[in-house]
Amino acid sequence: MRPSPTTITAAPPGHDVTDLLPDHDAIAEWRGLRERLARADRDAAAAALAALAGGIRRTVISTIAGAGLGHAGGDLSVTDILATLYGAVLRVDPADPGWPDRDRLVLSKGHCSVALYTTLSTCGFFPAERLSTFAAPMSPLNGHPSRRSVPGVETSTGPLGHGLPVGVGIAVGLRLRGSAARTVVVLGDGELQEGSNWEAAMTAGHRGLTSLTAVIDRNGLQQGARTSATNELEPLADKWRAFGWEAVEVDGHDHLALLDALTAPHDAGRPRCVIARTVKGRGVSFMEDRVEWHHKVPDAEQARSALEELR
Amino acid sequence: MILRQTREETHEETYDCRDAFADELVRLARADSRVVAVCNDSVGSSKLGAFAAEFPDRLVNVGIAEQDMVGIGAGLANAGLVPFVCGAATFLTARALEQIKADVAYSLANVKLCGMSPGLAYGALGPTHHSTEDLSWLRAIADLPVVVPADPAQTRAAIRWAAETEGPVFLRIGRFPVPDVSPPGVPAFTYGRAVRLREGVDATVVATGTMVSRAMRAAALLEERGVQARVVNVSTISPLDREEIVAAARQTGAVVTAEEAVPTGGLGAAVAEVVLETRPVPMRLLGTRAFAPTGEPGFLLEHFGLTADGIARAVLEVLGLDHV
Ligand SMILES: Cc1ncc(C[n+]2csc(CCOP(=O)(O)OP(=O)(O)O)c2C)c(N)n1
């Protein structure tokens, strides 16, 4: 069974997964937040987004510790980006995840599924209680996001360097269909070492995909080392500009800076790259900027002290 | 069905073959300055830490760039080095398949491709990380030996053979814990030769990698049912030991294959091709026939029936004894 272009299907027959259905209470709460944010002044908006992100961070830690699996470092660096996108930017409908004119979010750094799952459940795409099944036998919440089983996941990711080409295709397709919906692709910085990104960047620049935004989670670390020690990326903004994009650099933990970068109108005919400077493991002192927390799992004591710090 | 034996009941010592790989690679590098390693941000998962500490200049970590990694490997070989190109089997093979075909196999480059943590080893990281198609893809490429060691002794011997032998080779280095299966007194690995681990007259189980020890346990379970199953360990999938397969079909009259991969194009298909061309007999091909659900490696092997019990059932089925 193949997912049709606009509906998210459950897993194919033979897979004993229970469907993830919308959580209408959570949706109502999320809609309330969106309305408040639309009317809020900047201080109030910053406070609301910080609260949203804080809740996601805590759930990320408890989910990973409970499952014994996950990528805490990258989850915590990307959290403010996802919270800002889902809290204030993306036009999606958690009650109708296949709505044709929805904005699309592709999480190219698919190993950070827990941050995405938590954000999606916070918006009501599925009940938050289901997060506790993450990585458990037959759970729809696999270690990497699957389009087959998780509503709100636009494409299955995990192998790095896939998100941007898919995002370019979505943006071209939406434009052909006359839809005004936007496409946002969130990438890791280490991931940019995959050449497929630059092939896609060239196509996007050439085609003037104004509705496409790439957000780079620029935490400076990859799996085994610093990105600068592995394969230097700088001058990163210049690289995107050379491919026909506009590029802005922001503090990736500053919700208002992110909000501005993600909502300002694009230069005509240019996709935008937002280079969000982040800290891997952000918010938990013993994880911050430490390469081993790429995929180390906190033990009970570490989880407890992490949750304490995130309170 | 009374056939039932879990891994916990066997009390065998088990090993992660990556450790034997890492250790042997360092020994080779000490003996031969041409030995270099290439990896994709996988120093830890390819177990190259000790290599990197001792030979920092001889490790090329290209970052997350598998096509680059394999192309660079071919270039290093051209320059007279012996590169071991290491990465998670799924990304190494899927991502760089054309580089493997053109730059390595067709160019006869002296590159040793090392696919780490294959099959379902990544468990709940999900199907994107399961290397279950690698055997099918690589077996289709000419002049590319595909080697799947079943235990640490085979792993060491296969790596030594690869280093000593000029030309391309793919080594599938397992992470899932396996016990020793190599019988003492015979060479642990002979290129192109399958090893008969157990005699039997009623059926043959042809297994590779992680499935070999399970096939041995299946044979023990079958013996309790009065069925004598032969067990053959195929550690060179390509080129396949045709003689051993033909002998199995002719002498035992039924064949079951088991692999931690899709049988379509993999070991199962390879064996079936030989059986069909020479001595058609009833067969069952065990493997992963769908994208896996969520779960740990052991759970997923159970899910796909890739257990001693599952293999034994398949043998009874192929013999028409499943309802007895
Ligand atoms: C094609 C591919 N090669 C290798 C990997 C293994 N891997 C998973 S995460 C990771 C590091 C990612 O680094 P980065 O993009 O910077 O992500 P972040 O630091 O934000 O977690 C690697 C190498 C993979 N998932 N896909």
Side-chain angles (χ1 to χ4, degrees):
Chain A
M1 185 161 57
R2 277 197 191 84
S4 73
T6 56
T7 43
I8 308 295
T9 62
H15 285 230
D16 180 25
V17 294
T18 316
D19 284 347
L20 293 176
L21 298 171
D23 177 340
H24 291 283
D25 292 344
I27 293 173
E29 212 173 298
W30 172 73
R31 288 202 177 120
L33 170 73
R34 292 291 295 247
E35 277 159 29
R36 284 200 307 285
L37 273 165
R39 287 183 270 105
D41 62 28
R42 287 179 69 84
D43 285 349
L49 288 171
L52 179 65
I56 293 171
R57 283 198 163 84
R58 287 189 292 279
T59 306
V60 161
I61 293 296
S62 47
T63 303
I64 290 177
L69 190 85
H71 292 80
D75 281 329
L76 295 179
S77 72
V78 82
T79 295
D80 293 310
I81 296 166
L82 293 178
T84 306
L85 281 165
Y86 281 93
V89 178
L90 296 175
R91 293 176 65 247
V92 291
D93 182 359
D96 181 11
W99 172 40
D101 282 324
R102 69 193 181 278
D103 288 345
R104 268 65 165 186
L105 183 285
V106 172
L107 181 68
S108 191
K109 42 174 271 179
H111 54 286
C112 296
S113 58
V114 178
L116 179 64
Y117 294 157
T118 306
T119 308
L120 289 174
S121 66
T122 304
C123 307
F125 281 90
F126 59 87
E129 306 87 74
R130 298 302 301 279
L131 291 171
S132 63
T133 73
F134 169 65
M138 304 315 263
S139 170
L141 302 176
N142 217 317
H144 291 81
S146 170
R147 178 175 150 80
R148 291 168 175 243
S149 53
V150 189
V153 170
E154 301 288 350
T155 185
S156 305
T157 52
L160 297 166
H162 285 242
L164 197 57
V166 176
V168 169
I170 293 172
V172 171
L174 289 172
R175 188 166 70 180
L176 274 174
R177 284 202 18 244
S179 172
R182 298 182 52 188
T183 305
V184 179
V185 180
V186 176
L187 300 117
D189 52 355
E191 179 180 7
L192 293 178
Q193 291 156 353
E194 291 285 4
S196 48
N197 292 304
W198 302 103
E199 297 174 17
M202 198 183 298
T203 307
H206 173 74
R207 294 187 167 266
L209 296 178
T210 315
S211 65
L212 178 68
T213 304
V215 185
I216 314 297
D217 181 6
R218 184 74 167 114
N219 59 35
L221 290 174
Q222 51 193 94
Q223 181 168 270
R226 284 196 185 281
T227 35
S228 58
T230 311
N231 238 347
E232 179 62 88
L233 294 168
E234 295 297 342
L236 188 54
D238 290 346
K239 287 193 171 90
W240 291 92
R241 290 186 190 119
F243 280 78
W245 293 53
E246 43 165 330
V248 293
E249 297 196 52
V250 299
D251 176 344
H253 300 304
D254 177 338
H255 301 103
L256 295 181
L258 282 167
L259 197 55
D260 293 342
L262 292 166
T263 51
H266 287 220
D267 288 353
R270 285 190 191 273
R272 172 176 299 157
C273 175
V274 177
I275 300 171
R277 285 183 308 273
T278 58
V279 176
K280 213 159 167 173
R282 165 79 173 198
V284 179
S285 56
F286 58 90
M287 294 184 184
E288 283 193 357
D289 203 33
R290 301 286 295 264
V291 71
E292 67 268 27
W293 284 100
H294 175 73
H295 53 195
K296 199 169 133 176
V297 174
D299 61 26
E301 175 52 31
Q302 288 166 328
R304 198 196 52 73
S305 79
L307 291 173
E308 189 68 27
E309 282 192 44
L310 291 169
R311 239 174 356 124
Chain B
M1 176 68 64
I2 42 161
L3 296 173
R4 192 75 212 160
Q5 188 182 20
T6 65
R7 194 153 65 85
E8 292 68 50
E9 290 165 40
T10 64
H11 306 298
E12 288 162 310
E13 280 273 12
T14 55
Y15 308 91
D16 174 343
C17 288
R18 292 178 307 161
D19 292 322
F21 161 82
D23 188 57
E24 200 58 42
L25 190 64
V26 169
R27 285 165 192 257
L28 284 170
R30 284 183 192 143
D32 183 346
S33 62
R34 297 172 308 148
V35 170
V36 293
V38 191
C39 73
N40 59 335
D41 192 17
S42 62
V43 174
S45 53
S46 296
K47 298 240 178 194
L48 291 171
F51 186 100
E54 197 167 332
F55 308 104
D57 299 342
R58 286 156 67 181
L59 173 72
V60 186
N61 178 0
V62 301
I64 309 163
E66 292 74 18
Q67 302 180 65
D68 195 25
M69 170 172 73
V70 174
I72 286 172
L76 287 163
N78 177 290
L81 297 174
V82 183
F84 280 75
V85 173
C86 310
T90 186
F91 306 130
L92 168 65
T93 61
R95 207 57 186 271
L97 195 59
E98 191 171 271
Q99 280 76 10
I100 291 175
K101 174 180 169 176
D103 311 350
V104 177
Y106 185 51
S107 299
L108 284 177
N110 192 24
V111 174
K112 316 305 166 187
L113 301 160
C114 305
M116 317 301 292
S117 310
L120 302 164
Y122 278 122
L125 290 187
T128 55
H129 283 51
H130 297 157
S131 195
T132 42
E133 300 81 9
D134 52 349
L135 297 179
S136 316
W137 292 331
L138 298 187
R139 200 175 70 82
I141 297 177
D143 297 327
L144 180 67
V146 176
V147 172
V148 185
D151 69 1
Q154 280 212 315
T155 304
R156 287 180 185 276
I159 289 163
R160 280 199 297 275
W161 164 80
E164 286 158 10
T165 310
E166 177 78 20
V169 51
F170 174 78
L171 299 154
R172 198 183 202 230
I173 309 294
R175 176 196 200 112
F176 191 83
V178 288
D180 281 322
V181 292
S182 297
V186 292
F189 172 78
T190 307
Y191 170 60
R193 300 302 293 271
V195 182
R196 199 178 299 179
L197 292 177
R198 181 177 170 125
E199 287 297 349
V201 291
D202 298 322
T204 301
V205 181
V206 179
T208 192
T210 39
M211 288 301 112
V212 177
S213 59
R214 289 163 178 242
M216 289 296 279
R217 290 206 301 279
L221 294 175
L222 287 163
E223 190 162 32
E224 293 167 18
R225 296 283 301 263
V227 173
Q228 302 297 326
R230 179 179 293 186
V231 176
V232 173
N233 171 16
V234 174
S235 46
T236 311
I237 304 268
S238 178
L240 189 67
D241 185 343
R242 291 175 68 93
E243 267 173 50
E244 185 63 26
I245 302 305
V246 174
R250 179 168 299 135
Q251 293 162 8
T252 72
V255 175
V256 169
T257 64
E259 64 202 297
E260 201 181 323
V262 292
T264 318
L267 172 76
V271 172
E273 286 164 15
V274 172
V275 168
L276 185 69
E277 286 165 1
T278 55
R279 177 79 183 205
V281 298
M283 287 190 69
R284 288 285 183 284
L285 315 185
L286 300 180
T288 62
R289 291 193 179 268
F291 289 122
T294 305
E296 284 309 301
F299 170 81
L300 296 178
L301 290 176
E302 293 256 348
H303 174 83
F304 287 116
L306 293 170
T307 55
D309 183 51
I311 295 168
R313 280 169 198 258
V315 169
L316 293 180
E317 241 176 66
V318 81
L319 294 174
L321 296 173
D322 50 328
H323 296 304
V324 178

